[in-house]
Amino acid sequence: MAYQIKKDPISKIPKVQLAFWLLVRLAMLICAGYSFIHGDAVMGFESIFCFIFTHLWDLFQIFGNGSFIEEVPPLPQTLLNIIIFIGIVFGSYLGLFDKLAHFDDFMHLLSGFVCAAFGFDFARIIQRKKGPCAVTLAAIFGLMFAVTIAVGWEFYEFLMDTLHGTNLQLAKAGPETAMFDLAKYHGEYGYIGLVDTMTDMMMNVVGGIVGMIFMIVLRTKGNKKPAAKAKK
């Protein structure tokens, strides 16, 4: 069968979610323009990168060519857009990453939730040809997906710190570690980095567990009523 590029099926997206998608995309373009105008190329390109990520679901539908990827529901994209909007607009541009001590923990908690939610649906989609995927299996896959993304993110931070000279893991002196009392961390910046990395991963796991439970409830609540009627 010849490869086909389809029209974006916007009608599949709930109207409230679509409105939010458009708001986030507009916000990313404004953030990118603001950054480039003020000479902050890093944040400018980061905003553009996030703008592209707000179109993942659309890209799945357009270029999926009839594969299982087209069956991904709009909800994971909406959850991803929430992370992007909060992280970029509130975290980076309004400075909450620096102003609020636990804002980064909240973002890792939220990302774990979103990854688990996506992983849950993804497991059910890729299993569809062999029959319905067990809820337990989908839940475990969702949690493991969230954990894997958390590990991958820490790999990214380590490589950026090592190769690009950033301080994402807070392992050296700099503006990022100025708010920390070094005496509470055995007088070592490396220990701050260790605590930061492990806290990030634990928050992702907690978020993943919450997301796993949320998806179990969301995807099974509609299946209980028919079973109850059948018993009667």
Side-chain angles (χ1 to χ4, degrees):
M1 185 178 70
Y3 185 85
Q4 295 181 346
I5 298 179
K6 298 180 179 179
K7 184 179 179 181
D8 192 357
I10 298 179
S11 59
K12 290 184 180 180
I13 310 171
K15 292 182 179 180
V16 175
Q17 294 187 47
L18 177 60
F20 178 66
W21 292 15
L22 296 175
L23 173 64
V24 176
R25 291 168 182 175
L26 178 61
M28 292 305 102
L29 291 176
I30 293 174
C31 289
Y34 177 86
S35 296
F36 285 124
I37 290 173
H38 288 80
D40 190 349
V42 174
M43 279 307 304
F45 283 113
E46 183 175 330
S47 299
I48 290 177
F49 181 74
C50 288
F51 174 77
I52 295 173
F53 258 64
T54 63
H55 291 79
L56 281 182
W57 185 87
D58 306 79
L59 296 174
F60 291 164
Q61 303 302 313
I62 294 172
F63 300 105
N65 194 36
S67 66
F68 66 87
I69 203 70
E70 291 184 11
E71 298 181 34
V72 174
L75 178 61
Q77 179 69 70
T78 301
L79 295 175
L80 177 60
N81 288 351
I82 292 174
I83 288 183
I84 291 173
F85 186 77
I86 295 176
I88 295 296
V89 176
F90 290 95
S92 297
Y93 283 91
L94 297 182
L96 294 190
F97 278 118
D98 297 324
K99 296 176 182 178
L100 298 180
H102 296 289
F103 187 78
D104 184 60
D105 295 337
F106 167 74
M107 290 304 299
H108 279 278
L109 190 74
L110 186 60
S111 65
F113 178 93
V114 172
C115 289
F118 173 79
F120 185 97
D121 277 341
F122 193 67
R124 300 181 77 188
I125 290 170
I126 60 179
Q127 180 71 15
R128 75 196 191 290
K129 290 185 177 180
K130 298 181 180 180
C133 180
V135 174
T136 304
L137 178 60
I140 294 175
F141 182 89
L143 178 59
M144 292 302 102
F145 185 80
V147 173
T148 302
I149 295 298
V151 173
W153 179 258
E154 295 306 324
F155 283 176
Y156 161 76
E157 288 192 346
F158 173 77
L159 290 174
M160 286 295 290
D161 289 354
T162 303
L163 302 177
H164 195 57
T166 57
N167 195 18
L168 299 177
Q169 291 191 309
L170 308 180
K172 59 185 178 182
E176 302 85 358
T177 54
M179 68 177 71
F180 293 94
D181 182 0
L182 199 59
K184 295 181 179 179
Y185 297 90
H186 306 289
E188 300 178 8
Y189 286 104
Y191 194 75
I192 296 178
L194 174 63
V195 172
D196 175 75
T197 299
M198 295 309 301
T199 302
D200 290 349
M201 294 184 69
M202 286 188 285
M203 289 297 101
N204 274 97
V205 171
V206 172
I209 293 173
V210 175
M212 176 185 69
I213 296 173
F214 171 79
M215 292 305 292
I216 291 174
V217 175
L218 180 67
R219 298 304 187 207
T220 59
K221 67 178 182 179
N223 298 330
K224 293 181 179 180
K225 294 181 180 180
K229 292 181 180 178
K231 290 181 180 180
K232 291 181 181 180

